[in-house]
Structure formats: structure tokens, C-alpha cells
Amino acid sequence: MQAEANAPDAKRSATRMLIGIVVVGVALRLGYAAVAGELGVTPATHYREHITLATRLLSEGTFGSPMTPEDPAPRPSAMFPPLYPLLVAGVYAVLGVESYAATLVLQAINALATSLAATVVFSVARRLGASSFAAAAGAAATAVNPVLILLTTRIWDAPIFVLGAAWAVRLTVAARPPRAGPRADVFFGVYLGALALLDPALTPVYPVLVLWRAVRRTPRPSAGSIVASTAWVLLGWAGVNAPWTLRNARVLGEASYVRNGFWQEVWFGVCPEADTGLQAAMKAHFPLQSAAARQRYLAEGETAYFADCRTRAIAAIREQPGRWAVLCARRAADFWFGTVASHDGGAQRWMPRGLRLAAAVFLTIETAAALAATMLTWRRRPDMRWLAGAVLVFSLLYAATHTEIRYRGPIEPLLAMLIFTAASAAPRRNASA
């Protein structure tokens, strides 16, 4: 009876705590933007692709190519998914294109999204068996995570995608009877489809999430129940993605899944300049930074240009598979230990300096903690194995293409879930022993 009476008070206390964490997170993010001199300031050169897409949506009513911002007659493009440009266009329509108010609102949305991810970390950690204290610590760590704070100032989909990826895990672990019927499966598929239309980078992890959810949704999962659940999820996912896929087939002649620039990303990671660093590769082959690449892009058209990137990438991998394997291994180390910035600009030293060293130390400690958490809970908690698998699969995409520290953003909340749930499990194990 006493426990039942205390439950509402505990819930209200947790809610107040989470509100406080979100407020602190938003303040930190906007404070960082102000100190950096970027609050309300639209990027002048780099990271303007979504700005170009949104502007052309308003002026031309079409998803024109962001690779040729000076082109008076933009060609149709599928380089980026549609949802975030639509959001930016909506804000611009109300507050003015690239105005201070519009940029400030978009940055505030970024700050709120990555701060709200902290509440999802708390919810998932509790569902996975963490104590209230450990779940709160994971939420607080997410709120002050420097990788997430640094995403605030750019007009990019990454901050909202961070929240979306965390919520995908939240929906996965919520799959318990009686709410885990076919209707819930279809809704999960719809959500995954919508998330892909924001950013498809989590797509390689979808099989992990779908199977994890199918195993959790029934007390005794069978092959038939897993297949049925997966089929319903696929139905919802396909229904959401079909219109954009058909649009791409109609205007570009190719039914690409969400984005059509995958092979350009692979080419960046295997081109001759890849040995020097990502910046060198982009200066040589990215249409927005290379005049020669832009000329080829205009002459061949988007579909043919990316097909040429695919041909070049496959040829380079086949010619020197060992070199590509070494590059992939280096990128995997960059992703997990934060060393990408040490040679991103062409420097040949492995260890970075100054703030780069601080970032590498932070990410290395986080990676080590996640590995320890996985080992600690591997035998006793199947959910933790699934979560660790999702994190690992996500990293493979960037090992195969190219990586930056900001690409860690979507899994930072997942790492917090993993680390702090395991930290809560260790004292319980010792107490029971």
C-alpha cells in the first residue's frame, strides 16, 4: 500500500527532474552558440545544402539540386531526404529566408531535440532495468554531452535525427503485450519509414531493431510470430517510403531509396585523396568544393554522376582491396576513438592536439565504458546485447564510407543507455551475490 501511494510522488519527482535536465541542456546549447558567435547566424559557406533546398522549395516549388546553388533552373535532386528541407522551408516562409529569427528558431529546435533525447535515455534505461539514479545520470550525461552540444548551430537534420534514433529504441523496448499487436507493428514501420525520410543513416540498424522488437513482443517468441511481426513492420515502412521512391523514379529515372548519393560517399572514402584525409577528398571530388566535379555533375546529370562515382569506387576497391581495408580500419578507429580530426585536414600525425585531443580522450573513454558495459551484461541481459549490436552496426556505415566526429551524434544517447544501465546492474549483481 505504501509503495502504491509513493508511486505518483516518485513519478512527479522524476518528471520535474527531467524537465530540469532538458532546461539545462537547452541553455547549454544556446549558450554555446552565443559564445561561439553563431547564435542566429546562418552559415555563410559550408553546410548550406538544406538552406538551398528550402529556398528552392519556396521559390521554385521543387526539390532542386543543392550542388548548384547558382543555377537559375535547378534540376530535380534526391541527394537529401525531404523532411528536414520541408521544415526549414516552413520556418523560412513564416520568418523570412535566412533571417536572424528563422535561424534562431532552427537552432532552438536543434537545442531542444538533443536535450529531449535525455528524457528518452531515462525512459529506455528504466525499461532495461536501470535504477532511477542510474537512468537520471544517463539523462544528465546526454544533456551535457559535447558531441550533441556542438550540433546546435548548423542548419542540418542531425539534432532531430538524434532524438529520432533514440525514440526508435524507445519504441523497440516498449514492445510488450498487450500493446504489441499488428497495429503497433505497422505503426513502428511507419515511424521507421518517416525517420528514414529525415535521415536514412539508421537504416542498416533497422533489421536489428525489428528483430529485437519481435523477440520482446511475446513471452515466448516463435519463428512464426517473428516473421509475422516483421512483415507488418515492413508494410508500414514501405507505405511511408513509396511516394518518395516513386517520385525519384519519375523525375530522375531511378527508384532510389530515400537518397541517391551513397556511392559518392563511398568514393570519398576510397579515392586517391582518401589517404590524406576527408577534406582533401572533398576538395577534389565534391561538387560544392571542386570545380571539376561540379562541371562533371552538370554535364552528366545527377543520376549519371553518381553512377560514375559507383564505377570509380568499385574499381578502386577491386584494384587495391588491401588499401580499402586499411582505410576502413582507420575510419573505424576514428569513429570510436575520435581521432578523425587528427588527420582530417591532411596532417599525418595520428594523435591530435589541443581541443582535438580533449575530444579524442572523451570519445575514447566513452567507447571503453560502452565496451565494458557490454561485457558486464552480455550473459545476463539479452536486451543489452541487442543495444550493443545496434550501436556497432551503425558504425559500419561510416567505416565503409567516411567519418566525422559529428556522425557519432545519433548513437550518443544509445551509448548512455548502454553504459548507465550496466552501471546500475553491477551493484545489484554484487548485492545479490
Side-chain angles (χ1 to χ4, degrees):
M1 294 293 292
Q2 185 64 34
E4 293 178 0
N6 291 337
D9 291 338
K11 186 174 182 180
R12 284 192 293 269
S13 177
T15 300
R16 288 193 296 268
M17 175 202 63
L18 290 174
I19 291 174
I21 288 175
V22 171
V23 170
V24 170
V26 171
L28 284 173
R29 285 151 175 75
L30 295 182
Y32 155 73
V35 171
E38 299 178 356
L39 189 64
V41 178
T42 304
T45 54
H46 298 310
Y47 301 103
R48 289 186 54 87
E49 288 92 323
H50 288 295
I51 296 172
T52 300
L53 285 167
T55 303
R56 286 179 166 170
L57 275 170
L58 293 177
S59 61
E60 306 287 340
T62 182
F63 286 92
S65 172
M67 294 297 100
T68 56
E70 74 287 347
D71 192 343
R75 308 177 185 190
S77 173
M79 277 201 71
F80 291 91
L83 289 190
Y84 190 71
L86 286 169
L87 171 63
V88 178
V91 174
Y92 282 174
V94 174
L95 299 176
V97 174
E98 297 190 49
S99 68
Y100 174 85
T103 302
L104 185 61
V105 166
L106 291 168
Q107 290 175 342
I109 291 173
N110 290 348
L112 181 61
T114 54
S115 298
L116 285 174
T119 67
V120 185
V121 170
F122 179 88
S123 176
V124 171
R126 290 291 287 150
R127 285 180 175 271
L128 294 180
S131 66
S132 296
F133 177 81
T142 303
V144 302
N145 188 305
V147 176
L148 301 182
I149 291 174
L150 291 172
L151 296 176
T152 305
T153 57
R154 292 172 180 164
I155 310 303
W156 208 261
D157 58 68
I160 302 177
F161 183 51
V162 167
L163 177 60
W167 196 256
V169 176
R170 169 67 175 77
L171 292 176
T172 299
V173 301
R176 289 292 192 188
R179 294 179 295 174
R183 183 180 299 179
D185 290 334
V186 172
F187 172 79
F188 186 58
V190 168
Y191 178 82
L192 295 182
L195 185 61
L197 293 177
L198 173 69
D199 190 321
L202 197 68
T203 301
V205 185
Y206 284 1
V208 178
L209 298 180
V210 171
L211 291 175
W212 181 12
R213 187 177 182 279
V215 169
R216 281 182 60 88
R217 69 189 296 271
T218 57
R220 294 182 179 179
S222 63
S225 67
I226 292 174
V227 170
S229 175
T230 302
W232 286 116
V233 172
L234 284 173
L235 179 64
W237 169 83
V240 171
N241 280 277
W244 182 250
T245 301
L246 293 174
R247 175 263 180 192
N248 293 341
R250 180 174 58 85
V251 303
L252 296 171
E254 182 180 54
S256 56
Y257 167 68
V258 187
R259 292 186 62 176
N260 60 357
F262 172 75
W263 284 104
Q264 177 183 243
E265 313 301 321
V266 178
W267 173 235
F268 289 156
V270 74
C271 65
E273 295 78 8
D275 296 287
T276 304
L278 176 59
Q279 292 304 316
M282 296 187 74
K283 286 178 182 178
H285 301 287
F286 188 39
L288 282 177
Q289 297 186 30
S290 165
R294 184 162 54 253
Q295 290 176 358
R296 286 194 3 253
Y297 179 86
L298 289 170
E300 299 174 6
E302 185 169 287
T303 301
Y305 177 78
F306 289 142
D308 182 51
C309 289
R310 179 181 63 226
T311 300
R312 293 183 180 209
I314 293 175
I317 293 171
R318 287 177 174 173
E319 183 177 345
Q320 293 181 296
R323 170 179 173 268
W324 187 62
V326 170
L327 288 171
C328 289
R330 189 180 78 175
R331 286 190 290 265
D334 287 341
F335 186 90
W336 288 113
F337 304 116
T339 53
V340 59
S342 64
H343 49 257
D344 190 48
Q348 295 304 308
R349 63 183 182 276
W350 179 255
M351 285 305 299
R353 298 173 181 172
L355 289 176
R356 293 179 176 183
L357 178 59
V361 169
F362 170 80
L363 294 176
T364 299
I365 292 173
E366 188 180 38
T367 295
L371 179 60
T374 303
M375 296 174 63
L376 178 67
T377 59
W378 184 262
R379 291 185 177 181
R380 297 176 295 108
R381 296 199 174 187
D383 285 323
M384 304 298 281
R385 296 199 293 268
W386 286 105
L387 182 56
V391 168
L392 177 62
V393 170
F394 181 81
S395 71
L396 298 179
L397 175 66
Y398 297 109
T401 55
H402 58 83
T403 190
E404 298 182 38
I405 288 179
R406 65 188 177 92
Y407 295 163
R408 277 272 293 250
I411 63 167
E412 289 299 303
L414 277 63
L415 290 172
M417 299 169 191
L418 184 64
I419 293 167
F420 288 92
T421 301
S424 177
R428 293 183 181 185
R429 181 182 181 184
N430 293 336
S432 62

